[in-house]
Amino acid sequence: MTERRAGGDARIGFDASWYYATARGVADHPALAQSVDVDVCVVGAGYTGLSAAIELGERGYRVVVLEAHRVGSGASGRNGGVLGTGQRKDQDELERWLGEDAARQMWQIAVDANNLVRDRVQRFAIDCDLKDGELTVAHKARHEASLWRYVEHLQTNYGDNTKRVVSRDEVRDMLGVESYFGGYVDSHAGHIHPLNLALGLARAATELGATIYEASPALGYRSTPDGVTVRTEAGEVRAKYLVIACNGYLGRFERGMERYQMPINNFVLATEPLGEARARGINRDDLAVVDTRFVVNYFHNSPDHRLIFGGGENYSSRFPKDMKAFVRRHMLEVYPQLEDVAIEYAWGGTLAITMRRMPHFGRRNEQVYWAQGYSGHGIAMANMGGKLVAEAIAGQAERFDLFANLKHLPFPGGRLLRWPALVAGMLYYSMLDRF
Ligand SMILES: Cc1cc2nc3c(=O)[nH]c(=O)nc-3n(C[C@H](O)[C@H](O)[C@H](O)COP(=O)(O)OP(=O)(O)OC[C@H]3O[C@@H](n4cnc5c(N)ncnc54)[C@H](O)[C@@H]3O)c2cc1C
C-alpha cells in the first residue's frame, strides 16, 4: 500500500491564478549547473526561504537558494492573501498549554511577524497592494459571543487595542449578506497580493547578495565534516548550513520533519471584475474577511474590483478537475447574489498543518535547520520563521528555540495509516461546519 499525499507539486496550476496574471517584477533565475561553495544553502523559495536569505544576506553570509520550480510557486504565491495577527492558535489555548509567560512571548513574536511584513514592504518598496483591516465573522450564532470574549481577553491581558467588536447588523451592512453573525474588525491585520510579496522578497534577497536557482530541485543532502552537500540534478551546493524551507511541498526530503506535518490542498477563485459599486456592496470597507468554519472561507476584493474567494480543501493527491465549480459552491453559500458572476480564475495550493496548529521549527544538528507547519497562517509567521532560523544560525537562538522546544505531536497512525486517519478526522470536522 502506498501512502496518498496531497498536491505538493509547485508546478501544478501556478500559472492559473489571478496572482500570476497580475505578477509584478518576475525575474528569471537560472538552474544550478555547477558546484558552488557558500555559507548557507536554503531549499525552497517561498516566504520562509526568502526571509532566511534576506536575514542571512544582511548578516554577510553567502547564500544560495534552491527552488524546485519558480520563486513563489508554492503556497507563498497562491494563498488567500490574509495578513493575520496573532498565532494560528488562540492565546487562551496557548496559555493553557504553555503557561502565561510562554504564551505572551508567542503573542509578541506574532505581533513582530506582522510588523516584519509591513517593514519589508516599506523598506524594499514591494508593490503588493497591502491594505489594512480584517473582519472575523461567526458563521454560527454561538461563535459570536466567543469572538467577542476573545477580543476582551486580548484587550485586558495583552493591551491589544487593534480590535473592535461588530454586531450582526453591522456585518450585514458591511458584507450585504444575512449568512453571518457578529464578529470583530482587526485594524492591524489586512490583505496583500501574496505572489507580489514573494517576488519582492526575492528581489530584496538577491540585492542583499543571495543567489537564487530556479528549476533546481534539491534531491537530497549528506552531512560532511564542514557542513552539508546538497545535490541537484546538474550540480551541488557545499555549505556550512542547510535551511529546509519546503513546507507543504517537503515530500520525502527530510524524514525527521515529515511525520510532524500534513500537506493539505486549499483552493481560491477570482471572479470577473464586478465594478466598484457592486464590489463595495459585498465588502463595504474592502477588508480581508475570514469566518469561523473549520474549513475556513476567506475573501477580499482586488484592486480591480474582483472578489478573491478562498474556500474548500481536499486531502487527495490531486486537485479537483473543475476548481472553478469547486470553489464557486462555497462562494455562493456566502454570496448567493453572485450567481450571475463569471469565475475567471481558480487555483489551488498546498499548505502544511501540524497536529497542534503551531509552527514546527527545529534542527537536526548544528548545521541543518527547518521551519514549517504554519497551518494556514503563514504570511506573517513564515516571514518570521525564516528570520528566526537566520537568528539561530547566527548564534541567537532564543526565539527560534521557543518554537523548537514546543512539544509537537506526530500525526498518529504511522507511515501507512496516518493519511487515512487525517482524512477521516478532517472530513468529520468539516461536516460539523454544516450543522
Ligand atoms: C490556498 C492557500 C491559502 C492560504 N491562505 C493564507 C492566508 O490567507 N493567510 C496566511 O497567513 N496564510 C495562508 N496560507 C498559508 C501560507 O501561504 C503558507 O503558510 C506560507 O506561504 C508558507 O511559506 P513557505 O515558504 O514555508 O512555503 P511555500 O511557499 O510552500 O514554499 C516552499 C517552496 O519549497 C519548494 N521546494 C519544495 N521541495 C523542494 C526541493 N526538494 N528542492 C527545491 N525546492 C523545493 C517548493 O517548490 C516551494 O516553492 C495559505 C496557503 C494556501 C495553499
Side-chain angles (χ1 to χ4, degrees):
M1 181 174 158
T2 49
E3 191 183 5
R4 284 166 66 78
R5 305 301 307 260
D9 185 339
R11 282 169 308 187
I12 297 173
F14 178 48
D15 55 2
S17 78
W18 175 78
Y19 301 138
Y20 187 86
T22 51
R24 290 185 281 264
V26 178
D28 286 328
H29 303 277
L32 181 70
Q34 73 273 32
S35 260
V36 289
D37 286 283
V38 287
D39 297 314
V40 186
C41 177
V42 176
V43 178
Y47 303 140
T48 303
L50 296 169
S51 172
I54 288 173
E55 294 290 324
L56 291 161
E58 276 181 329
R59 288 172 162 86
Y61 288 82
R62 293 166 306 145
V63 181
V64 152
V65 182
L66 295 176
E67 166 53 48
H69 184 44
R70 303 290 310 266
V71 164
S73 61
S76 298
R78 301 163 181 248
N79 63 62
V82 183
L83 173 65
T85 49
Q87 299 289 350
R88 168 71 171 75
K89 216 175 176 66
D90 282 349
Q91 284 306 121
D92 41 0
E93 290 179 73
L94 287 175
E95 288 158 20
R96 283 194 294 277
W97 176 23
L98 305 171
E100 254 189 51
D101 281 357
R104 212 168 275 285
Q105 293 179 58
M106 292 293 178
W107 170 257
Q108 191 54 49
I109 289 175
V111 171
D112 293 348
N114 178 297
N115 286 330
L116 177 66
V117 174
R118 291 169 181 279
D119 289 349
R120 285 179 171 168
V121 167
Q122 228 183 5
R123 185 172 151 218
F124 301 123
I126 301 177
D127 190 3
C128 64
D129 309 323
L130 172 57
K131 186 95 205 289
D132 286 338
E134 178 191 10
L135 170 66
T136 302
V137 278
H139 86 287
K140 288 183 181 169
R142 68 188 156 82
H143 293 166
E144 185 183 76
S146 61
L147 289 179
W148 292 345
R149 269 197 307 275
Y150 189 53
V151 170
E152 200 186 327
H153 183 77
L154 292 177
Q155 280 169 349
T156 311
N157 297 295
Y158 293 84
D160 172 36
N161 291 316
T162 62
K163 298 176 183 56
R164 76 176 176 89
V165 301
V166 288
S167 65
R168 185 178 189 184
D169 286 348
E170 190 171 353
V171 168
R172 192 191 306 116
D173 289 347
M174 291 165 107
L175 301 182
V177 293
E178 302 283 345
S179 41
Y180 286 126
F181 297 85
Y184 63 85
V185 174
D186 182 341
S187 60
H188 201 55
H191 57 87
I192 56 146
H193 187 303
L195 177 57
N196 284 335
L197 175 63
L199 293 169
L201 294 174
R203 175 173 48 79
T206 52
E207 283 168 8
L208 288 163
T211 307
I212 299 173
Y213 293 101
E214 293 184 321
S216 303
L219 303 176
Y221 74 92
R222 65 184 161 79
S223 293
T224 63
D226 307 324
V228 292
T229 299
V230 185
R231 197 166 38 83
T232 67
E233 203 168 285
E236 64 176 21
V237 183
R238 289 188 293 265
K240 294 183 193 124
Y241 302 97
L242 170 62
V243 176
I244 304 173
C246 304
N247 206 44
Y249 299 85
L250 176 73
R252 294 272 157 82
F253 186 72
E254 167 63 63
R255 285 285 169 85
M257 299 163 64
E258 190 198 14
R259 59 203 199 105
Y260 291 99
Q261 60 128 294
M262 273 287 179
I264 282 185
N265 303 320
N266 201 272
F267 304 97
V268 189
L269 63 70
T271 64
E272 64 182 327
L274 302 174
E276 186 169 357
R278 197 169 183 190
R280 289 250 172 241
I282 59 165
N283 191 341
R284 188 189 67 194
D285 304 326
D286 190 13
L287 304 176
V289 184
V290 298
D291 67 22
T292 50
R293 284 182 170 82
F294 178 74
V295 180
V296 62
N297 289 321
Y298 46 90
F299 44 96
H300 63 273
N301 292 340
S302 66
D304 61 349
H305 307 302
R306 297 167 193 272
L307 172 65
I308 310 293
F309 188 98
E313 57 191 31
N314 77 11
Y315 320 108
S316 123
S317 53
R318 291 196 192 88
F319 290 172
K321 267 211 179 80
D322 187 348
M323 274 189 281
K324 288 182 182 171
F326 183 87
V327 191
R328 181 172 178 271
R329 198 157 44 83
H330 297 275
M331 179 192 81
L332 290 180
E333 279 178 18
V334 175
Y335 286 124
Q337 67 268 47
L338 298 186
E339 178 77 45
D340 63 315
V341 166
I343 309 302
E344 290 196 346
Y345 303 86
W347 62 95
T350 305
L351 55 107
I353 60 165
T354 61
M355 278 288 282
R356 298 190 120 151
R357 304 297 191 268
M358 283 295 281
H360 176 229
F361 299 173
R363 47 167 99 59
R364 174 177 273 283
N365 50 42
E366 289 306 317
Q367 277 73 47
V368 178
Y369 294 78
W370 65 76
Q372 64 166 2
Y374 306 100
S375 304
H377 198 70
I379 296 179
M381 275 309 294
N383 270 276
M384 183 53 89
K387 183 177 168 76
L388 297 192
V389 169
E391 284 179 7
I393 288 175
Q396 300 149 338
E398 291 85 358
R399 298 202 295 172
F400 179 85
D401 281 338
L402 258 182
F403 287 86
N405 291 335
L406 288 178
K407 296 269 170 292
H408 277 282
L409 302 173
F411 280 86
R415 287 242 349 256
L416 293 184
L417 286 178
R418 68 196 190 112
W419 193 247
L422 170 92
V423 172
M426 299 302 267
L427 290 176
Y428 171 74
Y429 283 109
S430 58
M431 207 175 65
L432 292 187
D433 282 342
R434 312 210 154 259
F435 299 111

